Amino acid sequence: MKPAPFDYYAPSSIDEVCCLLARFGGDAKLLAGGQSLVPLLSLRLAQPAALIDLNGVPELAYIRTDDGGVTIGAMTRQRAVERSATLREQCPIFPAAVAWIGHPQIRNRGTIGGSLVHADPASELPALAKALDASFTITHASGAKRTLKADEFFVTYLTTAVEPDELLSEVSFPALPAGTGWSFVEVARRHGDFALVGVAAIVALDETGVCSHVRVALFGVAPTATRSPGAEQALLHQKPDEQTLAAAAVEVVKDIDPPGDVQASVAYRKYVATNLVRRALTEAVQRAR
């Protein structure tokens, strides 16, 4: 099929984007990498009056370090993040997670902001944002900005808190505590497919080897990426031996309500989630040590 007719705009600055959003509001769609939007247009599941192409706005593409943390512009290509020496040093879980996204051809076009705003519950970046406690800077058509944490940003299936007359301009990830280990694992039918279940884990140990900080985020098991408070609390302030890690992993099934579909049953996703959390926590602890 072919897209329904629309007006095409190619702004070169954020100010121009804001003017177009003020003009069209909910009748416009923002084009970032286009990996999700273009198929929707072709199937006429989306029929905007105007398409605003962000690819000519260079001020939305950057990787910047601030006080040990990292800020990434919304139009930064996934491939740029994957290859970033800065991120490999400052936040190595980020390029490791991005490497799971689709295939190189997809990551060459796909953007960090586009994937986060699309908010597919089986995609990697929303879970990473939850695990790293990211902050999202959203720009209104008026030029005003607001900042949301990951728990506020993701609302439900394919839905975020970004309004029709707003755009996501950047995402900030705070510095991780000293002595932090990480892991990012997922299970899919084939590499490049959407994950059936995935886990991002962050673990920090103090000088005595006790867990002082832990975050466990899952994807593919709920309407949006979700953290597991049960698994986190079971490990926090504990020495992460094999038994403790196994007990923490079991807690995850209390915090998820995975769907059952032709790809995997509810029972299978719970089984995989438990095993992946144990594997991820074990690997994160090993890196922390």
Side-chain angles (χ1 to χ4, degrees), residues 18-96:
C18 289
C19 290
L20 290 167
L21 286 174
R23 176 180 172 187
F24 290 103
D27 292 328
K29 285 287 187 182
L30 296 173
L31 176 67
Q35 303 297 293
S36 301
L37 179 58
V38 170
L40 292 176
L41 293 172
S42 296
L43 294 170
R44 300 202 175 194
L45 296 175
Q47 299 187 37
L51 191 67
I52 304 172
D53 190 345
L54 300 179
N55 286 274
V57 186
E59 57 192 300
L60 287 174
Y62 53 85
I63 299 173
R64 184 177 67 237
T65 56
D66 303 293
D67 299 323
V70 178
T71 299
I72 302 176
M75 283 298 293
T76 305
R77 303 293 175 186
Q78 295 161 3
R79 193 67 161 164
V81 169
E82 182 182 4
R83 292 176 168 177
S84 169
T86 298
L87 283 171
R88 284 198 298 270
E89 179 182 349
Q90 300 284 343
C91 190
I93 189 176
F94 210 125

Side-chain angles (χ1 to χ4, degrees), residues 183-256:
S183 179
F184 196 96
V185 292
E186 68 177 62
V187 167
R189 288 187 174 274
R190 300 169 301 178
H191 180 74
D193 285 0
F194 278 109
L196 300 176
V197 181
V199 177
I202 304 290
V203 176
L205 305 178
D206 64 19
E207 62 277 3
T208 67
V210 171
C211 179
S212 57
H213 175 85
V214 57
R215 283 180 175 269
V216 178
L218 297 97
F219 54 108
V221 295
T224 186
T226 184
R227 283 177 52 196
S228 174
E232 294 173 357
Q233 289 301 315
L235 186 57
L236 191 63
H237 306 312
Q238 303 292 323
K239 283 202 170 183
D241 55 27
E242 186 175 344
Q243 292 74 25
T244 303
L245 293 173
V250 169
E251 293 296 315
V252 75
V253 297
K254 301 176 183 177
D255 298 325
I256 61 176

